[in-house]
Amino acid sequence: MTELISKGGPLVWLLMACMGFSIAIFLERLAYYHRVSMNIGEFLAGLAALIRKRNYAEALQEALATRVPAGRVIHAALLRHHAPRSQLKEIVQEAGQLEVPRLERYLGILNAIAHVGPLVGLLGTVIGLLDSFTNLSSANGITTPAEVARGVYQSLITSALGLVVAIPAYLCYAFLSARSRSIMHDLERAGVEIVNLIEDAKTTDNIVEFRQAAVDESAHGQVKGRSRSQRG
């Protein structure tokens, strides 16, 4: 490997730097996605009991303690749980959009490396061939096969290394993009379900208040009826 790098020319070092960047980005994003992933269903099931009890303070603490994008979306909705449904939808959408740049960070660089790698290898191929023909022309067409092969060998090294850099970089980009889309889907699910939970809690409160008012009115009517009968 060291011999290939030494004979590949200066562009080999650029390709090796691209490879190092792609590996670093892949490991950093992989660790980040693992850290921010969570089971949305179980978390929302735990919050549902608190929301039904109107215990929004504890629900806010639970959402804030998660330190993940879905938790921040849920926290934004819980902060304004008194807002109407349409406004709650806008709140969770805006909170989700703020998380997208964090999820897609460095993915553009990884995609650029995947596309630029073959081009750098092609440039190295052209430079190697130009070097071969330059040596051939400077020797008035008389040169050894080894000198011609040296430039061709250099061009083949850069072409191969360009593909070695680009193919894994593109596969890593595709994998990380899929993980990012999966987490975005969890954000959308968390936003929709937390809005439904808050609205269901409001509906339950309205039903309880209506029933309580009906009971109070019935009791008040019974008291009036008794007082009239006593007067009669």
Side-chain angles (χ1 to χ4, degrees):
M1 187 66 182
T2 305
E3 182 181 358
L4 291 177
I5 294 175
S6 62
K7 293 182 178 180
L11 291 179
V12 171
W13 297 105
L14 177 59
L15 291 171
M16 294 300 295
C18 291
M19 180 182 292
F21 273 117
S22 61
I23 293 173
I25 291 172
F26 177 74
L27 295 177
E28 189 275 337
R29 289 288 88 188
L30 192 64
Y32 176 77
Y33 291 151
H34 178 73
R35 189 170 63 251
V36 302
S37 298
M38 67 180 298
N39 192 323
I40 300 296
E42 292 183 358
F43 182 69
L44 288 173
L47 284 182
L50 297 174
I51 294 174
R52 291 191 190 100
K53 296 177 182 177
R54 308 282 294 175
N55 192 353
Y56 289 107
E58 187 173 351
L60 282 167
Q61 292 179 358
E62 291 290 336
L64 191 60
T66 59
R67 298 182 182 276
V68 298
R72 288 190 284 269
V73 171
I74 294 172
H75 183 266
L78 291 174
L79 278 175
R80 298 169 179 83
H81 60 273
H82 294 296
R85 186 184 188 90
S86 59
Q87 189 173 350
L88 284 175
K89 287 183 178 180
E90 293 178 358
I91 290 171
V92 296
Q93 287 177 357
E94 291 175 358
Q97 290 173 358
L98 291 176
E99 299 297 332
V100 172
R102 298 178 184 177
L103 294 173
E104 295 182 344
R105 184 179 297 172
Y106 305 131
L107 293 186
I109 298 176
L110 194 60
N111 188 29
I113 291 174
H115 285 83
V116 170
L119 297 178
V120 175
L122 179 61
L123 178 60
T125 301
V126 174
I127 292 175
L129 293 176
L130 285 175
D131 184 50
S132 298
F133 285 107
T134 300
N135 294 333
L136 186 61
S137 63
S138 62
N140 295 322
I142 303 174
T143 183
T144 62
E147 293 178 352
V148 176
R150 182 171 59 85
V152 177
Y153 185 49
Q154 176 182 343
S155 65
L156 292 177
I157 290 175
T158 53
S159 296
L161 190 57
L163 295 176
V164 168
V165 171
I167 293 173
Y170 185 77
L171 292 176
C172 292
Y173 169 76
F175 175 77
L176 294 176
S177 296
R179 288 293 305 273
S180 176
R181 288 193 297 269
S182 177
I183 297 176
M184 291 179 191
H185 176 72
D186 289 341
L187 293 180
E188 295 177 357
R189 177 188 172 188
V192 170
E193 294 195 12
I194 193 62
V195 170
N196 290 334
L197 287 174
I198 293 173
E199 290 299 315
D200 290 343
K202 292 179 181 178
T203 304
T204 303
D205 291 341
N206 292 333
I207 292 174
V208 171
E209 291 176 0
F210 176 78
R211 289 179 177 175
Q212 185 64 35
V215 170
D216 292 343
E217 185 177 355
S218 177
H220 184 65
Q222 291 177 1
V223 171
K224 285 185 176 180
R226 289 176 183 176
S227 62
R228 289 178 181 175
S229 62
Q230 289 176 1
R231 289 178 183 175

